[in-house]
Amino acid sequence: MLLAVDIGNSNVSLGVFQGEALRMRAKVSVHTRRSADEYAAVFYDLLRLHGLDRGAVDGCILSSVVPGLTGLVEAAARTVTGAEVVRVGPGIRTGFRIRIDDPSQLGGDLVADTLAALTEYGAPLVLIDAGTVTTIAAVDRERTYLGGCILPGIRASAALLKETAALLPSIELGSGEEACLGRTSAEAMRCGLLLGSAMTADGFIACYEALPGMAGARCVATGGSAELVCARCRREILYDPDLTLKGLRYLYENSRHKR
């Protein structure tokens, strides 16, 4: 079995694959003061909770956008599984071209997202990852990652509004239809955050589709806030909550074949 670990700004996501089947998915909140042993204890308990034998895990791959946690979580994964940990970074075999000024700046989660989306949905692509931050990227017909944009995540934006404007209320970003005109402060905030995020995504999709090699692009989304945004977009968007974990499995297979 393979343990896939994605360290994000808010959560550490875990997945255990047996072949192509995802046997376990779990999230652990990020705590910068946890030790490697504490992370190992949490990982060990999660495997037991899902009825999985840690001794059967013979491979591990890790991506991270939080450098301060990378070594700790890697050590924890190694302690729990005893397996070699493949880290997503420069030199890993991605299976697609990256046409940005410094490819090493492309986060491991976006590398995984891109490979999984290409493998499962084909090119060209507009790829949305809506988490703590929202990224919207373009991958052309030749499987080349062209670049994209980075925006504040919808939940982070809601928290920032409350923190910086004393009279604005705390709000819940639930499901449901928002009118384009809010009649209360809370309604106006939900309208701006939810519909505004959807309109932004629709706008970037239209811009990217006009680029060479992007005509007819399929749109794929993942991330904790993706459903909130995609449900309000005019463009049809495929939502895949396990895209990053799937991509890590594909990266591990590519890396194993390379070795």
Side-chain angles (χ1 to χ4, degrees):
M1 291 193 293
L2 172 69
L3 173 64
V5 183
D6 176 50
I7 305 172
N9 291 295
S10 301
N11 297 290
V12 178
S13 298
L14 306 176
V16 175
F17 289 90
Q18 186 168 28
E20 297 182 2
L22 183 57
R23 292 281 308 279
M24 181 193 100
R25 60 174 67 81
K27 288 185 182 293
V28 178
S29 59
V30 165
H31 288 293
T32 56
R33 298 188 64 180
R34 269 191 181 132
S35 68
D37 288 340
E38 287 173 310
Y39 275 108
V42 173
F43 294 175
Y44 177 75
D45 287 343
L46 284 170
L47 289 169
R48 291 184 61 194
L49 179 66
H50 287 82
L52 299 175
D53 177 12
R54 66 173 182 149
V57 179
D58 55 7
C60 183
I61 185 165
L62 177 147
S63 66
S64 175
V65 296
V66 187
L69 287 181
T70 306
L72 290 175
V73 175
E74 181 176 338
R78 191 181 300 111
T79 296
V80 171
T81 66
E84 175 189 357
V85 179
V86 176
R87 188 185 296 187
V88 179
I92 197 164
R93 186 176 176 182
T94 63
F96 59 91
R97 291 180 290 276
I98 303 173
R99 201 176 79 190
I100 61 176
D101 289 348
D102 183 358
S104 68
Q105 291 184 351
L106 187 62
D109 55 342
L110 297 180
V111 172
D113 290 346
T114 303
L115 179 56
L118 284 170
T119 302
E120 304 212 350
Y121 305 107
L125 285 169
V126 175
L127 185 61
I128 301 171
D129 191 326
T132 305
V133 300
T134 296
T135 61
I136 308 174
V139 184
D140 72 10
R141 195 172 303 280
E142 302 302 319
R143 295 173 61 94
T144 301
Y145 185 98
L146 301 176
C149 67
I150 300 176
L151 308 164
I154 190 170
R155 298 183 192 279
S157 296
L160 183 62
L161 279 175
K162 173 59 181 171
E163 290 172 8
T164 56
L167 291 180
L168 291 180
S170 298
I171 61 170
E172 292 292 329
L173 294 171
S175 59
E177 294 298 323
E178 282 71 40
C180 62
L181 293 172
R183 302 296 184 181
T184 66
S185 294
E187 287 178 359
M189 290 170 68
R190 275 193 291 269
C191 169
L193 290 164
L194 295 170
L195 294 182
S197 295
M199 291 176 184
T200 298
D202 281 331
F204 274 105
I205 291 169
C207 288
Y208 293 164
E209 285 183 319
L211 296 173
M214 289 295 297
R218 182 170 289 184
C219 302
V220 181
T222 193
S225 298
E227 283 187 294
L228 288 173
V229 177
C230 296
R232 294 161 176 84
C233 288
R234 293 187 175 184
R235 176 62 190 268
E236 181 181 356
I237 299 175
L238 299 169
Y239 172 60
D240 189 335
D242 298 321
L243 196 68
T244 306
L245 294 176
K246 292 176 183 177
L248 289 174
R249 182 178 71 82
Y250 289 128
L251 286 167
Y252 182 81
E253 293 298 324
N254 286 351
S255 175
R256 188 168 64 174
H257 292 156
K258 181 179 179 180
R259 292 198 300 272

